[in-house]
Amino acid sequence: MIETLFAPFSRPYLARALVEAVLLGALCGAVGVYVLLRRLAFLTDAITHTVFPGVVVGFLVSGRAGIVPGALVCAVIAAGLFTAIAATRRVNEDAALAVLLTAFFGIGVVLVSRQRSYTADLTAFLFGHILTVDTTDIVVTAVVAVLACVVLVGLGKELLLRAFDPEGARAAGYRITALDLVGNMLIALVVVAAVQAVGTVLVIAMLVVPAATARLLSDRLGVILAVATGLGMLGAWLGLAVSFEASRGYGVRLAAGATIVLVLVACYALVTLGQSIRRVATRAAR
C-alpha cells in the first residue's frame, strides 16, 4: 500500500504534478478558510468563470504561454469590478456576481465558438490537465503561495475582523472596501494559479471543501487553518496516486484533477458521517 502511494512519483512528469498539486492543496486550503469565513464561495465560483475569456484570448494570442497572463488580467478586472459594484450598496452582492459571471463567461464562449480548431484545447483548461504542468507553472503557483502567506500573515487580523464584524472594523478605522479588494484579489490569484492544474471549474472544490471539512472538526481558527492546509495537501497526493494506480493497474482512466477533488469530497463525507455517528452515540448515552 505504501509503495503504491509513493512509487508513481519517481516519474518526472508525475513528480512535477505532485509538487504542483501539493502546493495548490496548501494554497487553496489556507485561502479557503478566508473564503469560508466571508461566505465567498459564490464569489469564488464567479471568478473561476470570469477568467475563461482571458484563458481563451491568451491561448489564441500566445498559445500556452499566454494562458496565465490572460487569466490574470480577467481575474483582476473581475475582482476589481465586483468590489466596486458591491461598495456602492445599490446592487446586492449576489446580483453583481451573477452579472459578472454571465458576462465574462458569455464572452469566453463566444470566442471559443468562433475558433473551432482550438475548442478541444481550451476545454482542457475548464477541467485542468495537471499531468502536463511544467516548471513555469510550479513557479507561478509557488509565487502566489508566498504572496498569499504574506497577505494572510500581514492582514490576518484585519481580514478576520472584517469577516466577523464589518461594522466594528469600519468603526475602528479600517477601510472595508480596501480589505475586500485585497481578499478578492487573493482569491483571483489562486484561481489563476490553478487554471493549468485543475481548471477553472474544479478549483472551487479545492478552495471550499478542505476548509469546510476542517470547520466540522474544530471551532478554533488556528486548528481550522492547519487542518484545511494539511487536508488540501493530503488530498492532492492521494488523488494523484489513486488516479495513476487506477489507470495502470485496473485500466480505468481517471482524470487526475477530478480524482483529487473526489478524494477531498470523500474526506468531507467521512467527517460528516463521523460527526453524525458521534451525535447519535452521545444522545443514546444520555
Side-chain angles (χ1 to χ4, degrees):
M1 180 62 179
I2 299 299
E3 182 181 354
T4 300
L5 294 176
F6 284 99
F9 303 112
S10 60
R11 298 164 174 79
Y13 75 96
L14 278 173
R16 289 192 296 270
L18 178 63
V19 173
E20 174 73 2
V22 169
L23 278 173
L24 273 178
L27 174 61
C28 291
V31 176
V33 174
Y34 171 73
V35 172
L36 183 71
L37 294 177
R38 282 286 319 278
R39 300 180 180 178
L40 293 177
F42 188 28
L43 170 63
T44 305
D45 185 43
I47 291 179
T48 62
H49 288 77
T50 57
V51 302
F52 186 52
V55 170
V56 176
V57 173
F59 185 82
L60 295 179
V61 172
S62 302
R64 290 172 58 88
I67 289 172
V68 171
L72 179 61
V73 170
C74 275
V76 169
I77 292 174
L81 285 175
F82 169 73
T83 305
I85 294 173
T88 63
R89 299 186 181 183
R90 294 185 177 181
V91 179
N92 63 48
E93 293 185 355
D94 288 345
L97 287 173
V99 171
L100 292 176
L101 185 155
T102 52
F104 277 76
F105 196 70
I107 292 171
V109 172
V110 168
L111 291 173
V112 169
S113 67
R114 294 180 61 82
Q115 301 290 335
R116 294 182 180 178
S117 60
Y118 298 102
T119 301
D121 296 317
L122 290 168
T123 300
F125 295 100
L126 284 174
F127 306 102
H129 208 322
I130 196 169
L131 299 182
T132 65
V133 297
D134 54 23
T135 304
T136 301
D137 298 313
I138 295 174
V139 170
V140 169
T141 304
V143 170
V144 174
V146 171
L147 181 60
C149 287
V150 171
V151 171
L152 292 176
V153 171
L155 295 175
K157 293 181 179 179
E158 290 81 357
L159 292 173
L160 188 62
L161 179 60
R162 164 65 183 92
F164 285 107
D165 187 7
E167 295 304 323
R170 186 176 286 107
Y174 294 115
R175 299 180 63 182
I176 300 300
T177 302
L179 289 174
D180 287 347
L181 182 61
V182 170
N184 295 341
M185 289 294 182
L186 184 59
I187 295 172
L189 288 176
V190 174
V191 171
V192 171
V195 164
Q196 168 69 4
V198 296
T200 59
V201 173
L202 299 179
V203 66
I204 179 67
M206 292 195 68
L207 274 165
V208 174
V209 177
T213 306
R215 180 64 183 84
L216 292 175
L217 296 172
S218 177
D219 294 326
R220 299 176 60 185
L221 183 61
V223 175
I224 294 174
L225 183 60
V227 172
T229 303
L231 184 60
M233 298 169 69
L234 179 63
W237 171 42
L238 289 178
L240 281 176
V242 169
S243 173
F244 177 82
E245 185 61 25
S247 300
R248 186 193 67 169
Y250 301 96
V252 179
R253 297 185 61 182
L254 298 178
T259 306
I260 291 172
V261 170
L262 289 177
V263 168
L264 293 174
V265 172
C267 292
Y268 178 84
L270 288 174
V271 171
T272 302
L273 179 62
Q275 295 283 1
S276 299
I277 293 174
R278 188 179 68 175
R279 284 194 296 269
V280 171
T282 301
R283 291 171 184 171
R286 289 176 181 174

